Structures are given as C-alpha cells and as structure tokens.
Amino acid sequence: MEKNYRAELTAVFGDPVDGNPTGVMEEAAYEALGLNYRYLTLRVKKEDLEAAVKGAKAFGMKGYNLTMPHKTAVIPYLDCLTPAAEIIGAVNTVVCRNGKWTGENTDGKGFVLSLKRDGIKPEGKRITLLGAGGAARAIGVECALAGAEHITVLNRDVGRGEELAGLIGRKTGAEAEFCPWTEQARIPEGTDILIQATCVGLYPDSGRKPDIAYDTVTDRMVVCDVVFNPERPLFLQEAERRGARIVTGMGMLVHQGALNFELWTGKKAPLEIMYQALAREFGASQIGLP
Ligand code: NDP
C-alpha cells in the first residue's frame, strides 16, 4: 500500500494563546486512535484573522478552534452557523463539511454533557448563572435549549447581564431575568443549579472566590464552576462544605474538546484519555473524569 505522509490539520487561533491547553487533549486523543492528525496552537493577531481563515482553507484543514479575540469576529468569514452558535453569537469551533465552513459553539454543549454524565439534567430546573461573558452566554443558551425552566443571570455589568437574560427569554423556551451583582449577592431561593461562569478563581488568582453570600448556597443545589485550573476552586470548596453536589470545570473542558474531536474526525472521542492528558498537565488528581 502506498504510504501517506500527509497529516490532517486542526488548530486553535487566538491571541494570547500560549497557555491554551486544548492541544494536549486533542493530540492525546489522535494518538490513542492512531489518527494521523495534528493540533496546532497558533498565535493569530486580531488583524490577521482573515488571512488565517484563508490559510485554513488553502491547507484543507479539517477545522479549528477560536479563542480570544476571534470568537465573534470569525463569523463573517464562515459559510453557515449551527442554530445554537447563531443564538449565542459566538463560535469556538469551525468544521469543514462538504466544502462548507460551519461555525459551532461547543462550550455550552460540553457543559450540558458534563452535567448529564453526572446524571443531572437541565430540564425543568431553576438555574442561577454567575457572569454574562462568553462562557456564561454559551452555557445559559444551551441550558435553556436543553429545557431549563428559569435562568437568573447575576452580573456586575448591567448591560451585558440584561443582554444575556433578554436573549435567552426571546430566543429559547426558558424564562430569564437579570439581577445586578452587588456585594455579597444572595443566591435566589429555589435555585436547583448554581453555575459560576466568571473567571474569578482561575490560576494564578486561585486565592479568590466570587463575592456571594455563601450562606445562601444550600445542600439541595448542584453547584458548578467553569474554572478548571485549579480543578477545585475555592468557590466549589465552599459549596461542598455546605453539602452541595459539585461539578468541576474540567468536565466541561473535556466534553467540549471531545465534541470538537468528533466533529473533525467523525469518530467517538476517547474521553478518559483526554481527561487524563489534561489532568497530568495541570497536576490534578487524575482520579477519573468527573
Ligand atoms: P469573559 O471575559 O467573556 O467574561 C468574564 C465574566 O466574568 C464577565 O461576566 C465578568 O463580569 C465576570 N467577572 C470578571 N471578574 C469578576 C469579578 N471580580 N466579580 C464578578 N464577576 C466578574 O470570559 P469568558 O466567559 O470567556 O471566561 C470565563 C471563564 O470561563 C474563564 O475562567 C475561562 O477559563 C472559563 N472557561 C472554561 C471553559 C471550560 O471548558 N471549563 C470554557 C470556556 C471558558 P462583567 O461583565 O461584569 O465584567
């Protein structure tokens, strides 16, 4: 049989991007399945995005991820968006299908899958979402599309918070309201799932936790964090101390990476291998995918 030395290419475009760990889990998955794929971590400056997108086409790449500052800016260069990416208004994954470059957002889907893996479903639930940035938007929209009943968005910036609550209310079947985040915000009674979707507590600021009234977190809540490094931020430690069931950001990270892998290769992702590769990278517990 004739040898094929040509690798299929995938990548992440961002700036800054040096600290982005996605390549570690994607390459571990490619190797585990014996696929001749590569994942390149590429610094693409804001003004060079169009050239990078054209480069991806010229190289016949399978697809690519986008991170800051390209998640919204890439949209005009794509052929189509998935319905969720259209609502969220941001794309973190592009896949080339039948010659069409399609924008998807796997962040929120990865979050919902990490909940489901823990036996938790957003259907009919009352959710409180801390934050209204990119991660919160993706999570809020996907939880709403997955059947959440009510979503309260707590955010410091009123404009961003109102925008997200309005978007969920208009474009999905869920009810949504915005509450301004002032000091020691109280978590609404009746919250089933509390989601920390700000960057507070992310390494190297691991000594910080969101300014909420922790005595309003109860043992009947499922409490989640998007921060994955450290694996158990102070926020989750506080919630666990109050008897809440916790879901770490590592699950979301691995599940969104797995969705990307499946979009690009058409094969089922080796979840546990991807998790172990990341856990080794962060020096985390490596006790198994949360
Ligand atoms: P953005 O910059 O888009 O949004 C940041 C959000 O955090 C805003 O809502 C901002 O509020 C809020 N915020 C920042 N500082 C504070 C503070 N001191 N108190 C209260 N709120 C604050 O960031 P992203 O949404 O892209 O990322 C957020 C986090 O999600 C990061 O830690 C990132 O690593 C993580 N993430 C995790 C993923 C995973 O797979 N686990 C995937 C994607 C992201 P305001 O609007 O008021 O400024």
Side-chain angles (χ1 to χ4, degrees), residues 260-279:
N260 301 339
F261 178 94
E262 289 170 4
L263 286 170
W264 296 328
T265 67
K267 298 193 187 305
K268 194 161 169 43
L271 270 176
E272 191 60 40
I273 283 168
M274 296 174 86
Y275 169 73
Q276 293 294 346
L278 273 183

Side-chain angles (χ1 to χ4, degrees), residues 71 107 131-136 155-157 160 181 197-200 202 208 225-228 249-250 252-254 256:
K71 285 185 174 183
D107 280 339
N155 200 52
R156 294 178 315 184
D157 183 288
R160 243 195 306 275
W181 186 343
T198 77
C199 41
V200 180
L202 179 65
R208 292 178 60 215
D225 204 323
V226 295
V227 169
F228 51 82
M250 193 71 129
M252 170 178 172
L253 184 64
V254 173
Q256 63 88 20

